[in-house]
Amino acid sequence: MHRPTQQEGEASATPTIVDDGLVVRSLEDLHDQIDPRISISSRPTPEELDEALSTRINEPFYVEFKEGDERNPINFSRRKKWCITALACFSTLIASSTASAYSLGTPSMTRDLNCSNFQATIGIAIYCLGFGIVPLVTASFSEEFGRQPLYIGSGIGFILMYLMVALAKNIQTVLIARFIQGAFGSTGATMVGGTIADIWAAKERGLPMSLFSLVAVGGNGIGPFIAGWIEMNPKLGWRWIQWVQMMICAVYLVLIPFMMTETRSSVLLTRLAKKMRKDTGDNRYRARVEDERASLRTLIFISCTRPVHLMLTELVVASFSLWIGFAWGVTYVMVQSISGVFRNLHGFTMGQVGSVFMTMAIGSFLGFLTNFYQESLYQKNFPTRGPEARLYSACFAAVLLPVSMFIYAWCSFAKVHWISLAIAIVMYIMATFIIYLAVFSYLADCYGPFASSALAGQSLARNITATAFPLFTKQMYQQLDYKWANTLFGCIAALMVPIPFILFFYGPAIRMRSKFSRAVMESQR
C-alpha cells in the first residue's frame, strides 16, 4: 500500500488514491465539514480515537470513497438497493401492523386475563407511547454503531416481546411488553428513512419513500385483517395473534444478515480508517467523522431536545405536526371504532370486521398512486415554486380529510349500507397517506441537515396523539354516539384545511423568518 508522507500531504492539494481505492485528503484540502459547529481543532486525542494509538496525531489524512467506489452505499447496485429498501420497508410493515392487530384480540384477552376493556385498550396507546418517545434517545445510536446492528438488535427485542405478550398471565405484563415492543419497533422503523437516504440519490428517492409511507400507513389495515380471523376461531384467540406475528417477524430476522448490509457511509469509512491504521502503522489515517462527531452523550442530548425545539418554535414544523398528529390520532380512533360500528350496526362477525380493515390498505394504495402525479408536478414546478411544489396533493388531501369524516359520521346508521362506511374509511386513509408523505417530503426539503430533527418532532406529535386518542374513544362514542363524535372530528379537520394552502402560497416568506430553514435556503443560493 502506498502511504503518503507528511510532505506529500502538505505540498499537494490533490487527493491521493491509496492502493485500497480510497481517496486520502490532507487537512488543508478540506473546505467543508459535516457539522460546522464542531471545530477541526477540537478533534479527540488518539487515545480517545483508538486504543491502539499511542502517539499524538499531528497531520491527519482523511479517508474518503473515490468516485464510483462500490463500497460507498450510494453506489450500491440497484438490485442491492432494492433488496435493502424492501427489507427496511418490511420492518416498518411489521411494526405498523403489530400496533393495530392487537385491538382485534381484546375480546378474548379481557375474558382470559379478567381485565376491563379499558385496560386492554391501554395496550394500543402504550405501544404508540414507546414508539414516539424512545427514538428521541436511540436515534443517535446509528451514528455511533451503524444501522445494521440496530436493525438486528431492535428486531431481536421486538420478537421477544411477542413471546412476553403471548405467555402473559395478567394485563400488567401485557402492557409492559407492549411499551417495550413499541420502543424496539420504533428504533427499527425510524431508521428506514435514513437508510433510504443513505443509498438513494435525492432525485431517485421519491418511489422508495412512497413505498415506505405505503407500508407505514397501510400496515395498520393488514395486521387487523389477519388478526380478525384468528380471533374469530375460539381455539386460537389473542395469544395466537401474537404467535402468528412472531413467526412473520422471525422471517424478517433471518433475512437481515443476508440482505441488510451497513448503509451509513461515515460508519463504513471509520471502519476502513481503523483498518488502515492497523495495517500500515500510520496513525494519521482518519475518517472525517471521527474528528467531527460529538460524543454519544451530546448526540443524545441534541436528538432529545432539537425535535421538541423545532416543533415548538418553527411554524412549518408546528403546523404540520399538529395536522399529521390529528390525522394519526383519528386513525387510531378508527382502529378502535371499526369493530363497534360494523358489529353493532351491521352484525359483522369478528372475521368480517378484520376484513373491513383492508380498506386502510386500499386507501394507502390509492394515495400511493396519487404520488406519481404529485411527483410529476414537483419536477415541473420545483424551479419556480421550490419545496412548496411538494404540496399540491396535500391541498387536495386537506379537503378530502373532513369530507371523509362527515361521510363516516352520517352513514353510521343500520339502514345505510355498510359499503358507504368502507368508502369513507378508504377516503380518510387516502388523505392521511398523502399528508404523511407530504410531511416527510416537504420537511426534508425545507430543513436539509436538520430534517431528521424536524421529522422526529412530527413523529413525536403523531405518536402522542395516537397514545391519547384511543384512551377516550369508547367513552366518547358512548356519550356522543358515532355520528356526532365523528362529526366533531370532521369539524376539527375542516379547521385545519388552510394549513397546506398557507404554506403553499406563503411558505418561502415563513421559512425566511426561521433560523433553521433560512440557513438551508441561504446555503442553497
Side-chain angles (χ1 to χ4, degrees):
M1 175 188 289
H2 170 69
R3 289 187 287 167
T5 64
Q6 180 78 17
Q7 288 74 23
E8 286 177 326
E10 291 173 349
S12 174
T14 353
T16 303
I17 299 181
V18 295
D19 293 345
D20 299 26
L22 295 170
V23 174
V24 177
R25 299 179 188 272
S26 67
L27 185 63
E28 287 76 10
D29 295 335
L30 300 178
H31 302 288
D32 61 325
Q33 291 186 339
I34 295 172
D35 189 339
R37 297 171 299 161
I38 303 174
S39 169
I40 210 76
S41 62
S42 64
R43 62 179 182 266
T45 63
E47 289 76 15
E48 295 171 326
L49 174 67
D50 192 322
E51 292 180 2
L53 300 183
S54 57
T55 58
R56 189 169 184 81
I57 296 174
N58 296 314
E59 180 64 38
F61 290 118
Y62 287 110
V63 175
E64 297 177 358
F65 291 115
K66 71 174 182 179
E67 187 175 351
D69 192 331
E70 292 184 357
R71 290 173 294 183
N72 188 348
I74 205 70
N75 295 324
F76 285 169
S77 68
R78 291 190 69 83
R79 179 180 177 181
K80 188 173 185 179
K81 288 181 179 182
W82 278 116
C83 285
I84 293 171
T85 301
L87 191 62
C89 288
F90 187 28
S91 74
T92 305
L93 178 64
I94 293 171
S96 60
S97 61
T98 298
S100 52
Y102 169 92
S103 66
L104 273 290
T106 53
S108 59
M109 181 183 291
T110 54
R111 180 195 67 222
D112 293 350
L113 298 183
N114 194 28
C115 62
S116 67
N117 186 71
F118 178 75
Q119 287 175 312
T121 301
I122 295 174
I124 300 175
I126 206 165
Y127 180 93
C128 296
L129 184 64
F131 214 96
I133 293 177
V134 173
L136 295 179
V137 178
T138 59
S140 302
F141 288 5
S142 65
E143 295 188 35
E144 192 74 20
F145 308 112
R147 302 205 191 278
Q148 189 187 39
L150 289 187
Y151 276 115
I152 295 172
S154 61
I156 292 172
F158 196 80
I159 200 171
L160 289 176
M161 291 307 104
Y162 284 126
L163 186 65
M164 186 171 174
V165 174
L167 298 178
K169 302 298 183 184
N170 54 63
I171 190 63
Q172 290 81 9
T173 304
V174 171
L175 298 182
I176 292 171
R178 285 286 289 181
F179 176 80
I180 299 173
Q181 190 172 44
F184 279 119
S186 68
T187 302
T190 52
M191 283 193 300
V192 175
T195 300
I196 290 173
D198 289 341
I199 60 178
W200 295 99
K203 63 181 180 181
E204 301 175 313
R205 232 171 264 164
L207 181 58
M209 280 303 295
S210 57
L211 287 172
F212 164 56
S213 301
L214 176 63
V215 296
V217 180
N220 287 308
I222 295 174
F225 169 68
I226 300 171
W229 293 103
I230 297 173
E231 174 69 10
M232 188 178 172
N233 189 327
K235 295 181 180 180
L236 300 178
W238 66 278
R239 295 188 192 275
W240 268 99
I241 293 175
Q242 304 300 316
W243 292 125
V244 170
Q245 290 182 317
M246 186 175 177
M247 295 174 197
I248 296 171
C249 188
V251 174
Y252 162 70
L253 269 179
V254 170
L255 292 175
I256 291 178
F258 300 101
M259 296 174 62
M260 182 61 70
T261 58
E262 182 56 56
T263 63
R264 193 165 181 85
S265 59
S266 59
V267 172
L268 293 172
L269 285 171
T270 300
R271 293 174 184 173
L272 289 169
K274 286 182 178 180
K275 183 177 182 298
M276 290 178 71
R277 292 196 295 269
K278 181 179 179 181
D279 292 345
T280 64
D282 191 335
N283 297 333
R284 291 173 295 169
Y285 288 111
R286 307 279 286 276
R288 289 172 60 191
V289 72
E290 292 179 278
D291 285 347
E292 297 169 347
R293 179 191 289 145
S295 67
L296 182 60
R297 180 178 179 180
T298 303
L299 291 172
I300 292 175
F301 174 77
I302 292 172
S303 68
C304 286
T305 56
R306 188 190 285 163
V308 177
H309 175 77
L310 290 175
M311 189 171 62
L312 296 178
T313 62
E314 295 284 314
L315 183 58
V316 172
V317 180
S319 58
F320 262 22
S321 297
L322 177 67
W323 196 27
I324 188 60
F326 169 77
W328 206 249
V330 175
T331 299
Y332 277 84
V333 168
M334 280 191 166
V335 168
Q336 280 290 93
S337 70
I338 284 173
S339 178
V341 170
F342 283 86
R343 292 182 73 184
N344 297 340
L345 298 180
H346 300 287
F348 276 31
T349 65
M350 188 58 75
Q352 291 172 324
V353 168
S355 298
V356 170
F357 278 89
M358 284 304 293
T359 56
M360 291 188 167
I362 294 170
S364 299
F365 183 69
L366 293 177
F368 171 75
L369 293 179
T370 64
N371 184 60
F372 291 99
Y373 182 58
Q374 163 60 48
E375 192 66 20
S376 67
L377 291 173
Y378 173 76
Q379 298 294 340
K380 178 182 177 181
N381 296 293
F382 178 77
T384 55
R385 298 219 62 98
E388 283 66 35
R390 296 278 190 194
L391 301 179
Y392 287 100
S393 60
C395 294
F396 164 70
V399 177
L400 185 62
L401 198 72
V403 169
S404 62
M405 286 307 304
F406 289 133
I407 294 174
Y408 190 66
W410 291 96
C411 290
S412 298
F413 299 95
K415 61 184 178 182
V416 179
H417 197 279
W418 61 266
I419 196 67
S420 57
L421 292 171
I423 292 172
I425 297 171
V426 169
M427 293 169 61
Y428 182 85
I429 296 300
M430 178 181 174
T432 301
F433 176 92
I434 294 171
I435 294 169
Y436 183 90
L437 187 55
V439 167
F440 267 81
S441 303
Y442 184 64
L443 291 182
D445 281 5
C446 291
Y447 286 90
F450 310 111
S452 58
S453 294
L455 291 170
Q458 65 81 27
S459 178
L460 178 62
R462 236 179 344 107
N463 286 289
I464 285 177
T465 56
T467 299
F469 278 37
L471 298 179
F472 60 76
T473 299
K474 185 175 181 180
Q475 298 89 325
M476 181 184 66
Y477 282 127
Q478 286 176 344
Q479 294 295 321
L480 299 177
D481 73 34
Y482 294 120
K483 63 179 180 296
W484 288 114
N486 291 319
T487 297
L488 175 62
F489 285 133
C491 291
I492 297 173
L495 292 175
M496 296 185 180
V497 167
I499 290 175
F501 289 94
I502 291 173
L503 291 174
F504 183 81
F505 291 107
Y506 303 105
I510 293 172
R511 288 188 286 116
M512 276 304 293
R513 298 176 184 174
S514 155
K515 176 182 177 182
F516 288 91
S517 59
R518 183 175 67 247
V520 175
M521 292 173 73
E522 291 173 348
S523 68
Q524 293 172 346
R525 288 176 179 173

